[in-house]
Amino acid sequence: MTPIRHLILILGDQLSTGISSLADADPAQDVVLMCEVMAEATYVRHHKQKIAFIFSAMRHFAEELREKGFRVRYTRLDDGDNAGSFGAEVLRAVADVAPQTIVVTEPGEWRVLDDMKHWQAELRCPVEIRPDSRFLCSHATFRQWAAGRRDFTMEFFYREMRRRTGLLMEGDAPIGGRWNFDSENRNPARPDLFRPQRKRFPPDAISREVIALVAERFEGHIGRLDRFGFAVTRAQAEEVQDAFIADYLPHFGETQDAMLAADPFLNHALLSFYINIGFLDPLAVCRAAEREYLEGRAPIAAVEGFIRQIIGWREYVRGVYWLKMPGYVESNFFGNTRGLPGFYWTGETDMRCLATVIGETIEHAYAHHIQRLMVTGNFALLAGVDPYAVHEWYLEVYADAYEWVEAPNVIGMSQFADGGLLGSKPYAASGNYISKMSDYCETCRYDVRKKTGEDACPFNALYWDFLDRNGAALSGNRRLAQPYATWQRMSDQKRHEYRASAQGFLKRLDAGERV
Ligand code: FAD
Ligand code: DLZ
Ligand code: SF4
């Protein structure tokens, strides 16, 4: 038998045939290794649907590689000799296959890269870790962009990315004369009975087998499995992309910040799962969106808004993650210590907004951006929850969550725990914002118009208490000058009522009472 040249390790979020670890792969000389391992499924207790989605997608991808002629060594979670972690599985494979070199594309999470860096010495086999070329901005380019810069504003990074990709550009100038059309987006919630239903894929035999495995092995994890409808092959993910481009993209911006109890998805793309796992290429998705504008089928505001999320925010948060890790996830600007309220695991709260978003999260392993930011994130921020606990929750419950993208969004954008690297002010808001952008308040047991007292929307007093509590850290922030001036203008009595109302609520929360 010819000796094995490369043992190519492909991780669960590297399911792209164009991935750098496969760039020079030769089925005659190389072996691909894929493994379902307990360490990855439990380092945080991922949502059941997330585990099922990743395992099913991995199994389908292994089939795709086999059809291309590759030898794939695939370890299932329930294989008797499964060694339980990436390192231990690679060790087992090296002993069996004796490759000349182990080849892997750099992982998306710092903890995995840190572990991999020891493999060469531990396994006594050369390990080649290749850059992940699926991202448009390399670590070096981001470091260069960030070097010496005090203002990390995403908008400036985004403009660079527009220039580099040529997306929506006319020479050096942005198409339409502006870089950003956000002012034309973001309308409040409006039901649209004609919005097409989202595509769901009934589980095939592979998914059914995986779902049964997950139900048995991960019973205590959050989430329902009976609603599983994820695309689990590249072809299915492309169907989701095509449906988004045709049916939802033209209205993308309009409802970007809206929330409706009867419609968890509105015009959102539902593509993050597939882009993050490697089924869809981010640049190709953006080119497809750009084509819709160029051929007159979608307005510039919608297409620019969508492209900005991908070549702007997505690339930017990855850059920040690798620039600031390993310390970043420990950031705690406000020194918050409260535990995450129990209702984050059950949705059992009288606050309709939180009950709805958490309920949808349990059902779909998905919530859209503004739900994550302004409902679950906003509440945790106002209540003073330890940002690390908030970070772990987000990493567990969303099927698109990997630390490189989740942590900057949670620690930075949502919890302001990095002290303002990502955002110039905290995304803190009273019930008024949620009331304006959603229909949740209409059926809530709390009254959004009441400011204090037992029946008042808890977000109202918590908002002022948050500003008051963190005055030393925030009152110098120019973007908060107006709310601080309003707080100062209030009578002592009014301020006392807000504080007492917030403290009463937090006391009930800490005592485990239903709130
Ligand atoms: P759309 O709203 O339709 O946006 C289109 C695409 O743009 C997304 O598919 C995604 O690829 C990209 N995108 C949009 N916003 C962001 C962003 N802020 N950061 C990175 N990419 C973005 N996104 C994740 O992929 N994984 C996470 O774990 C994650 N955690 C988040 C936690 C919080 C607190 C917040 C506020 C945001 C988080 N996001 C995360 C970003 C965003 O909410 C999701 O990307 C989006 O909801 C995915 O759904 P969609 O595909 O329907 O996105
Ligand atoms: C998230 C996840 C889970 C739940 N399980 C696996 C697994 O068993 N095998 C695997 O290769 N990848 C898994 N993943 C994705 C990894 O956690 C991800 O590749 C790393 O965190 C690096 O981003
Ligand atoms: Fe949420 Fe307050 Fe509205 Fe109730 S009234 S849904 S708690 S914002």
Side-chain angles (χ1 to χ4, degrees):
M1 214 179 90
T2 41
I4 298 302
R5 184 185 61 152
H6 292 163
L7 177 69
I8 304 170
L9 173 64
I10 295 193
L11 308 180
D13 55 353
Q14 298 186 338
L15 310 183
S16 321
T17 45
I19 192 130
S20 57
S21 56
L22 286 173
D24 55 350
D26 175 1
Q29 303 185 71
D30 303 333
V31 168
V32 171
L33 170 64
M34 296 178 71
C35 44
E36 298 168 7
V37 287
M38 215 51 180
E40 290 307 302
T42 55
Y43 76 94
V44 291
R45 289 157 59 89
H46 299 287
H47 192 295
K48 288 180 192 143
Q49 268 192 59
K50 178 180 184 181
I51 303 176
F53 165 58
I54 290 172
F55 286 3
S56 180
M58 285 173 66
R59 292 185 188 192
H60 282 92
F61 186 72
E63 285 310 310
E64 190 182 336
L65 291 180
R66 286 191 183 112
E67 279 160 22
K68 290 186 191 306
F70 281 103
R71 279 177 281 178
V72 182
R73 179 186 161 108
Y74 192 100
T75 309
R76 291 170 176 233
L77 190 84
D78 51 357
D79 283 351
D81 44 6
N82 187 325
S85 68
F86 288 146
E89 270 300 295
V90 172
L91 177 66
R92 209 162 64 83
V94 167
D96 291 351
V97 171
Q100 289 162 5
T101 307
I102 299 162
V103 174
V104 63
T105 292
E106 61 175 328
E109 302 200 348
W110 191 90
R111 75 187 161 87
V112 182
L113 180 64
D114 191 43
D115 188 35
M116 268 178 194
K117 284 181 177 162
H118 300 112
W119 288 359
Q120 182 150 314
E122 284 169 9
L123 306 175
R124 293 169 199 275
C125 178
V127 178
E128 186 188 336
I129 303 176
R130 298 181 176 173
D132 192 340
S133 52
R134 296 174 301 173
F135 290 92
L136 305 168
C137 180
S138 68
H139 300 315
T141 307
F142 192 83
R143 265 197 304 274
Q144 238 170 31
W145 176 81
R149 186 179 278 271
R150 284 215 350 248
D151 186 349
F152 258 58
T153 308
M154 195 287 295
E155 185 65 27
F156 299 124
F157 171 80
Y158 166 57
R159 291 178 191 179
E160 286 295 319
M161 296 302 289
R162 288 273 294 277
R163 290 194 187 95
R164 282 167 54 116
T165 57
L167 282 161
L168 296 179
M169 294 294 288
E170 262 167 345
D172 277 348
I175 284 183
R178 273 154 61 192
W179 293 101
N180 184 316
F181 286 79
D182 237 8
S183 54
E184 289 169 35
N185 290 335
R186 301 172 191 268
N187 298 329
R190 214 171 351 98
D192 178 354
L193 298 175
F194 301 104
R195 195 174 289 128
Q197 285 282 309
R198 308 310 291 226
K199 195 160 185 57
R200 301 184 72 80
F201 299 88
D204 63 3
I206 292 179
S207 291
R208 285 199 299 274
E209 201 177 352
V210 161
I211 288 169
L213 176 73
V214 172
E216 187 198 323
R217 298 290 173 103
F218 303 99
E219 203 198 342
H221 289 215
I222 193 171
R224 281 170 56 177
L225 281 162
D226 57 331
R227 298 286 290 136
F228 189 93
F230 283 112
V232 290
T233 63
R234 175 181 327 286
Q236 288 177 341
E238 281 164 1
E239 275 186 57
V240 180
Q241 176 186 322
D242 292 347
F244 166 69
I245 298 274
D247 295 335
Y248 308 96
L249 176 66
H251 309 285
F252 179 75
E254 289 164 25
T255 52
Q256 218 175 324
D257 285 5
M259 297 176 278
L260 277 183
D263 188 347
F265 310 126
L266 296 156
N267 291 303
H268 289 278
L270 271 62
L271 291 180
S272 50
F273 323 112
Y274 312 122
I275 300 176
N276 292 353
I277 209 173
F279 277 169
L280 298 177
D281 174 57
L283 187 57
V285 175
C286 291
R287 294 243 182 266
E290 182 190 41
R291 202 173 314 124
E292 295 304 290
Y293 166 70
L294 295 176
E295 295 177 7
R297 288 184 293 272
I300 184 75
V303 173
E304 185 282 315
F306 176 72
I307 287 177
R308 174 162 22 93
Q309 306 309 313
I310 296 188
I311 66 167
W313 280 111
R314 186 172 185 273
E315 295 286 331
Y316 171 80
V317 296
R318 176 183 184 251
V320 168
Y321 176 78
W322 285 106
L323 194 68
K324 296 293 173 187
M325 280 302 280
Y328 193 71
V329 292
E330 312 278 341
S331 315
N332 191 351
F333 180 66
F334 298 120
N336 287 334
T337 54
R338 178 162 279 109
L340 194 71
F343 62 72
Y344 272 73
W345 305 106
T346 61
E348 287 167 12
T349 164
D350 291 340
M351 291 176 279
R352 174 66 65 208
C353 51
L354 282 154
T356 307
V357 174
I358 296 167
E360 288 171 5
T361 299
I362 291 170
E363 190 171 342
H364 304 295
Y366 175 83
H368 65 71
H369 186 74
I370 219 68
Q371 294 176 311
R372 297 186 204 197
L373 188 63
M374 299 312 293
V375 179
T376 39
N378 182 24
F379 182 83
L381 174 69
L382 298 184
V385 177
D386 174 359
Y388 195 83
V390 184
H391 150 66
E392 285 198 312
W393 183 80
Y394 277 95
L395 195 52
E396 289 179 27
V397 303
Y398 293 115
D400 58 16
Y402 303 89
E403 200 177 76
W404 65 265
V405 54
E406 172 276 334
N409 272 299
V410 173
I411 296 284
M413 190 186 305
S414 156
Q415 299 303 297
F416 204 75
D418 63 5
L421 182 74
L422 242 87
S424 52
K425 75 177 176 81
Y427 280 97
S430 68
N432 188 39
Y433 176 86
I434 295 172
S435 169
K436 198 171 80 194
M437 299 311 293
S438 80
D439 61 356
Y440 299 152
C441 303
E442 290 164 21
T443 52
C444 185
R445 98 131 173 94
Y446 294 106
D447 186 341
V448 74
R449 287 157 307 183
K450 285 198 181 154
K451 304 296 178 204
T452 54
E454 293 250 322
D455 289 341
C457 165
F459 284 78
N460 291 339
L462 286 175
Y463 172 73
W464 289 112
D465 190 58
F466 163 81
L467 288 182
D468 184 35
R469 225 168 46 230
N470 296 301
L474 293 176
S475 58
N477 183 319
R478 271 186 302 170
R479 295 199 60 202
L480 292 173
Q482 200 188 354
Y484 273 110
T486 307
W487 176 247
Q488 291 309 328
R489 274 199 305 274
M490 283 181 205
S491 65
D492 286 348
Q493 171 65 18
K494 187 83 206 155
R495 284 202 296 249
H496 171 75
E497 279 168 20
Y498 273 126
R499 286 189 194 110
S501 208
Q503 292 317 314
F505 175 83
L506 291 173
K507 215 165 151 188
R508 290 199 300 282
L509 185 72
D510 292 342
E513 286 176 34
R514 186 177 171 107
V515 288

